[in-house]
Amino acid sequence: MKGVFRLAAVVVGFAFSTTIATAQEAMIPASTNVLAQIDSMAAAEFAKDKAGSLTVGVIMATDRFWTKSYGVTGIGPASAPADRKTVYRIGSITKQFTALMLLQLVQQGKVRLSDPVEKYLPEIDRIQGQIPFAAPITLVQLATHTAGLSREPDDAKQFTSGPVAYWRDDLLRALGKTRYIHSPGSQYSYSNIGYAILGAALARAAGQDYIGYVEEHIFQPLGMKDTAFELNEEMRSRLATGFDIEEGQLDSTTSQRELRGRGYKVPNGGIYSTMDDLAAFVSFELGNGPEAVLQKEALDENFNRLIASNPNLTGGYGIGFETFRRGDLQGFGHSGQVAGYESAAYFNRKSQTAVIMLRSASGGSYRGTSLCISILQALDEDRPPQVGSVSAPSQQVAQRRQVLLAGAGVDRYHTLIAPDEAAVE
């Protein structure tokens, strides 16, 4: 299903159009042609495998929102068509929420970016292979994947199957199997366990459980009622079954097993969400508030703070976000992949456009990151001259939260610093 609506209404519920061509669309700063192009691109990419479901959406510099879903949410005749309220796992997009927790605690004066992690989590001295005379790793190094840690602990399966409630216990056990592979601060090296360590350290600094903190200080003020680390019964009824594609065959075994828990993989990839809720989060990242989550000045500063870059300067990583450049287009965001699910959310703060993609399949011929970036590029090319980069003031958020969702793209895009794997959870 598809439609165009006001983003503010997305958060509280609303009736929506079932066609692209509506009277409302005349108010959207995107032509009917580009929306039809996006629809065609997304449908073509989904058709490569026709597995599970795909939901795409687009945000633009007004309070309008377009979204469409393809495929079904499960197996057999009881399966329903996917829609904007279908629940997916978002994988490494979770890292953006953990990074936002860091920025909030900095704003509150509870931590500094340069604080050594051992100040809050002395258990990190269990990590193996410490570099002689190296300075202690810092919070900002964990947040930017420059702490020099391995991607996962050795024998990771020992620590990645426990229930969500015991994720921190699994993490502390995994520290003894985690290794330094570079001197801290010397280079970029994507680390999932590094983000789990960051979440545990921040929870200690906040004096509050990590999950409870994120729910109270991020999900709730953004109105993300269908976003959680554990499924309630109502969300479970809307969860899309996740499929792994191997040599053309579909398998849901691993994705179903991981619903029972993923051990320490919570602050780095544990969130479930919907298109509507991620639209609210991306609108916030575009600078549309509310400032109760983070002051606009602090948010703007963060997107000006690029820590690591690849050698040809076409991509990089900041505190919780990837960045890329394709021609004149500069984008931010994150993608993710876990068993049975893929996700991506990329945005252009200058043009106030964004693309979100949620898929209940992993692998195969589909290229979700390429799709999103190609759509963002199409939106940028279609943007009218009068659309500026000035964000709505926070007091006008209820009237002017921006978002328009979409999907498209065919050519393969190699992701940022670590091609094709940087954002894989």
Side-chain angles (χ1 to χ4, degrees):
M1 55 182 64
K2 53 192 172 183
V4 181
F5 356 92
R6 291 179 180 274
L7 181 59
V10 171
V11 179
V12 298
F14 52 87
F16 60 94
S17 170
T18 58
T19 63
I20 289 181
T22 67
Q24 290 180 336
E25 190 170 14
M27 297 182 283
I28 307 168
S31 67
T32 301
N33 287 341
V34 77
L35 292 177
Q37 177 189 0
I38 288 168
D39 185 5
S40 177
M41 294 168 72
E45 197 68 25
F46 177 72
K48 290 180 178 180
D49 298 300
K50 294 184 178 178
S53 64
L54 170 67
T55 298
V56 295
V58 184
I59 297 172
M60 302 222 15
T62 67
D63 55 352
R64 301 295 186 270
F65 174 86
W66 178 92
T67 182
K68 182 174 179 180
S69 293
Y70 311 81
V72 295
T73 60
I75 306 171
S79 182
D83 61 27
R84 61 193 175 86
K85 292 190 175 295
T86 296
V87 176
Y88 297 86
R89 289 178 59 191
I90 67 171
S92 285
I93 292 178
T94 302
K95 291 180 174 69
Q96 292 192 281
F97 292 82
T98 303
L100 179 55
M101 180 180 179
L102 170 59
L103 297 175
Q104 288 180 332
L105 293 178
V106 169
Q107 181 175 277
Q108 295 166 21
K110 293 184 177 180
V111 304
R112 294 178 298 179
L113 294 177
S114 59
D115 279 347
V117 179
E118 63 187 11
K119 177 178 180 180
Y120 310 104
L121 196 73
E123 293 94 332
I124 64 164
D125 65 3
R126 303 175 189 175
I127 297 175
Q128 301 298 302
Q130 296 187 36
I131 311 297
F133 309 111
I137 61 174
T138 64
L139 297 176
V140 72
Q141 287 173 343
L142 289 177
T144 57
H145 300 293
T146 56
L149 300 180
S150 57
R151 188 183 186 94
E152 313 287 358
D154 297 334
D155 302 321
K157 289 184 178 180
Q158 296 183 40
F159 316 110
T160 55
S161 60
V164 172
Y166 299 105
W167 76 268
R168 194 178 69 88
D169 296 334
D170 290 319
L171 169 66
L172 295 180
R173 289 193 303 112
L175 291 178
K177 292 287 188 176
T178 303
R179 295 173 292 107
Y180 285 96
I181 58 175
H182 303 293
S183 181
S186 64
Q187 66 184 83
Y188 172 95
S189 181
Y190 195 86
S191 177
N192 282 314
I193 193 163
Y195 252 82
I197 294 170
L198 177 63
L202 295 178
R204 291 265 185 89
Q208 185 176 359
D209 170 70
Y210 168 83
I211 292 174
Y213 179 96
V214 173
E215 290 174 342
E216 178 181 349
H217 297 278
I218 301 178
F219 295 168
Q220 291 177 16
L222 287 174
M224 300 177 71
K225 297 180 180 180
D226 284 330
T227 302
F229 290 94
E230 291 188 273
L231 295 168
N232 58 35
E233 288 305 312
E234 201 280 327
M235 287 181 65
R236 188 177 294 274
S237 70
R238 292 185 278 119
L239 176 68
T241 300
F243 298 95
D244 290 306
I245 304 174
E246 292 288 345
E247 298 181 353
Q249 300 299 311
L250 301 183
D251 178 31
S252 63
T253 305
T254 303
S255 68
Q256 291 297 304
R257 183 174 64 248
E258 288 193 355
L259 297 182
R260 297 193 293 268
R262 305 182 63 235
Y264 72 82
K265 288 176 171 284
V266 171
N268 62 292
I271 291 178
Y272 298 83
S273 193
T274 65
M275 179 60 71
D276 282 1
D277 276 11
L278 279 185
F281 180 67
V282 173
S283 178
F284 161 77
E285 291 187 298
L286 284 171
N288 298 312
E291 290 200 51
V293 177
L294 190 72
Q295 292 176 2
K296 186 178 183 302
E297 181 180 359
L299 183 66
D300 292 345
E301 180 183 6
N302 190 51
F303 287 114
N304 288 326
R305 186 193 293 119
L306 183 64
I307 304 296
S309 179
N310 62 17
N312 59 10
L313 305 180
T314 59
Y317 208 94
I319 296 178
F321 65 87
E322 303 164 354
T323 186
F324 68 88
R325 181 173 293 281
R326 178 182 282 185
D328 293 332
L329 174 65
Q330 182 182 16
F332 302 92
H334 220 292
S335 60
Q337 179 177 326
V338 294
Y341 300 89
E342 293 183 10
S343 62
Y346 291 105
F347 49 93
N348 181 347
R349 298 191 95 228
K350 181 178 180 180
S351 64
Q352 290 284 285
T353 56
V355 179
I356 305 170
M357 177 277 294
L358 298 170
R359 183 194 185 209
S360 62
S362 177
S365 301
Y366 177 89
R367 294 292 179 264
T369 298
S370 173
L371 176 66
C372 285
I373 293 175
S374 295
I375 292 173
L376 197 61
Q377 192 168 31
L379 290 168
D380 190 65
E381 293 170 353
D382 185 72
R383 182 169 52 93
Q386 68 269 26
V387 176
S389 59
V390 178
S391 301
S394 60
Q395 64 268 28
Q396 297 177 3
V397 166
Q399 293 78 34
R400 295 197 59 199
R401 299 186 86 177
Q402 300 164 292
V403 175
L404 176 69
L405 298 169
V410 177
D411 57 319
R412 183 175 179 82
Y413 177 75
H414 294 287
T415 307
L416 308 176
I417 298 172
D420 296 321
E421 62 177 352
V424 177
E425 195 284 313

